[in-house]
Amino acid sequence: MTNTKPCILVVDDAPENIDIIRGLLGEEYKIKIALNGKRALDLAKAIPQPDLILLDIMMPEMDGYEVCEILKSNPETAHIGVIFLTSMVTPEDEQRGFLLGASDYITKPFDPEIVKTRIKTRIAVTQKERLLKEQIEQLKNDSLQVLDEGKLQKIIEIGENETSEFKSTLRFNLYTKKNESRMENQCLKSVAAFLNGTGGYLFVGVDDEGVALGLKNDAFKNEDKLMLHWHNLLREYLGADMAQCVHSNMHTIQEQRVLVIKCDPSPRPVFMSRDGDEAFYVRMGNSSQSLKPSEMLSYVDSRYGSAR
C-alpha cells in the first residue's frame, strides 16, 4: 500500500462550487477539476484514474446523468464511484441516479461535515474494493491458469470423485430462482473438505452430469463482482489465510463461463463457521461429509499432528 493521497475528480461548471470543494477536501485528497462532461470523461480514463467523482447534475451540453450513464457503461470507468452534486433532489431524482450507478447525493449549499463524512465513507469503500481485487489476483494460481478448456473438460469427463466435484450454481436455487445461502454453504463445504484432505477441484456452473451451465443464473453484474463475492465468502467462513491454498478463476468450458476452484491441502485444520455452527468436513467418495467430534479429533491427529 502506498501513501499517495486518494484522487477526487470534481465536475462542475460553477467555479465557486469548485473552490468550496477544494477548500474542504484539498488537504486530505488530490483534486482534479473538469468544467464539463466531456472533459470529465477524458479525465476519468486518464492514468492514474480518480478514486471518486463528484458530479454536478445541471451542466450545459451534457448533464450529470448522461455523464454517469457513459461512465458506468464503459468497463474502463465503471468501477469509479460517483456522488452527485445538486441543489435540490427529489425521490425521483435519487432513483434515477441510483439506477444509473451513482453511490450517493450531496446537496448544495454544502454542509462541510456531511461532505467530508460521505467522501470519507465512499473512499474507504473504494480502497477496500481495490484491496479485494488485489487479493483475488493472489488467489489465481499459475497452474490453474495454464489449464485450457480441453484439460478441464477431461477432468469433468472423469466425473465426481474424491478430488473433483460439480455444483450447478453458487447462490441461486435453480428451481425457485431465489438467492439461498445454503447454495454458498454447499460450495464452501466442498472446499473445506478438499483443504482437509489431499486437495481437489470444484467446478461451479456444471451440473451433476458434467454439463456446463455457466453462471448466468447467479445474476452477478460481472465476473469481478462474482469473484469478489466468492472471495469474501472464503475469508469470512473458512479463514483469510486460506488464500494461499484456494485458487479461483473463471474459465470457458463448453462455451460457458464456469468458476473453477483448485484446492491445495491445507497446512492446518479448516473449519467452516457460519450461522452459529462450526463443522469439520472431509471427502468421502463423491461427497463431503462432516465428522463427529470424536471422529474429527482422530482425523486431525493423523492428518495434522502437532498442527492440531
Side-chain angles (χ1 to χ4, degrees):
M1 298 291 292
T2 65
N3 293 322
T4 304
K5 289 182 178 181
C7 177
I8 297 175
L9 172 60
V10 182
V11 187
D12 200 317
D13 62 330
E16 59 271 22
N17 290 332
I18 292 174
D19 289 341
I20 293 172
I21 294 294
R22 199 197 302 270
L24 288 174
L25 306 175
E27 291 187 6
E28 192 171 354
Y29 305 100
K30 180 179 179 181
I31 305 296
K32 289 185 177 182
I33 304 299
L35 298 177
N36 56 65
K38 184 178 183 303
R39 178 60 175 162
L41 295 174
D42 291 337
L43 288 177
K45 292 185 289 187
I47 302 299
Q49 291 182 296
D51 296 281
L52 180 65
I53 298 175
L54 301 184
L55 180 57
D56 186 29
I57 293 178
M58 301 304 295
M59 295 185 295
E61 298 184 15
M62 185 185 300
D63 67 21
Y65 291 124
E66 186 177 354
V67 174
C68 184
E69 184 174 13
I70 295 173
L71 287 169
K72 294 301 179 179
S73 64
N74 186 341
E76 294 182 41
T77 56
H79 65 283
I80 305 174
V82 173
I83 295 180
F84 278 125
L85 305 175
T86 180
S87 56
M88 183 171 62
V89 59
T90 67
E92 292 75 20
D93 293 327
E94 287 189 349
Q95 182 179 23
R96 182 182 180 186
F98 290 138
L99 287 174
L100 289 173
S103 304
D104 204 349
Y105 277 81
I106 293 177
T107 56
K108 307 172 187 177
F110 301 123
D111 181 306
E113 294 307 314
I114 289 178
V115 171
K116 291 180 180 179
T117 299
R118 292 189 174 179
I119 297 299
K120 185 175 182 179
T121 298
R122 185 60 228 180
I123 289 291
V125 170
T126 299
Q127 292 177 333
K128 182 178 179 180
E129 288 177 347
R130 181 182 295 116
L131 177 61
L132 288 173
K133 286 183 179 181
E134 292 173 356
Q135 291 170 334
I136 285 173
E137 290 302 317
Q138 295 175 2
L139 284 174
K140 297 178 180 178
N141 185 281
D142 290 340
S143 63
L144 184 58
Q145 293 277 24
V146 300
L147 286 173
D148 58 23
E149 181 180 355
K151 293 178 181 178
L152 291 170
Q153 182 59 40
K154 288 182 179 179
I155 296 175
I156 291 174
E157 288 174 356
I158 295 173
E160 293 184 301
N161 53 62
E162 288 189 357
T163 59
S164 182
E165 189 167 354
F166 311 145
K167 297 294 183 187
S168 298
T169 179
L170 177 60
R171 61 176 185 170
F172 271 87
N173 185 311
L174 300 185
Y175 296 100
T176 65
K177 303 297 182 183
K178 291 182 179 179
N179 188 351
E180 296 188 7
S181 61
R182 68 188 184 95
M183 303 299 173
E184 299 170 345
N185 287 351
Q186 290 296 316
C187 294
L188 291 167
K189 179 175 74 173
S190 296
V191 169
F194 285 135
L195 292 170
N196 283 324
T198 57
Y201 289 88
L202 176 63
F203 295 84
V204 183
V206 175
D207 71 12
D208 293 344
E209 304 302 318
V211 177
L213 305 176
L215 288 166
K216 294 177 183 178
N217 290 315
D218 286 314
F220 288 93
K221 188 174 182 180
N222 53 52
E223 290 186 358
D224 282 342
K225 296 291 185 183
L226 187 156
M227 294 297 288
L228 284 172
H229 181 74
W230 172 243
H231 181 56
N232 281 332
L233 292 175
L234 289 173
R235 289 175 58 87
E236 185 169 0
Y237 301 117
L238 296 186
D241 60 320
M242 285 299 100
Q244 62 180 326
C245 298
V246 182
H247 317 288
S248 310
N249 201 5
M250 297 295 297
H251 286 269
T252 299
I253 300 175
Q254 301 169 23
E255 300 183 353
Q256 298 290 338
R257 295 295 282 171
V258 171
L259 174 59
V260 182
I261 304 157
K262 177 179 179 292
C263 306
D264 299 330
S266 169
R268 68 159 176 85
V270 178
F271 294 84
M272 178 183 157
S273 302
R274 192 172 191 179
D275 301 326
D277 295 324
E278 186 173 64
F280 184 86
Y281 292 98
V282 296
R283 292 294 289 177
M284 293 185 179
N286 295 353
S287 63
S288 301
Q289 303 291 332
S290 62
L291 297 184
K292 297 177 181 178
S294 59
E295 297 172 329
M296 180 269 294
L297 291 174
S298 176
Y299 182 91
V300 168
D301 279 339
S302 62
R303 168 75 169 79
Y304 296 98
S306 60
R308 167 182 166 186

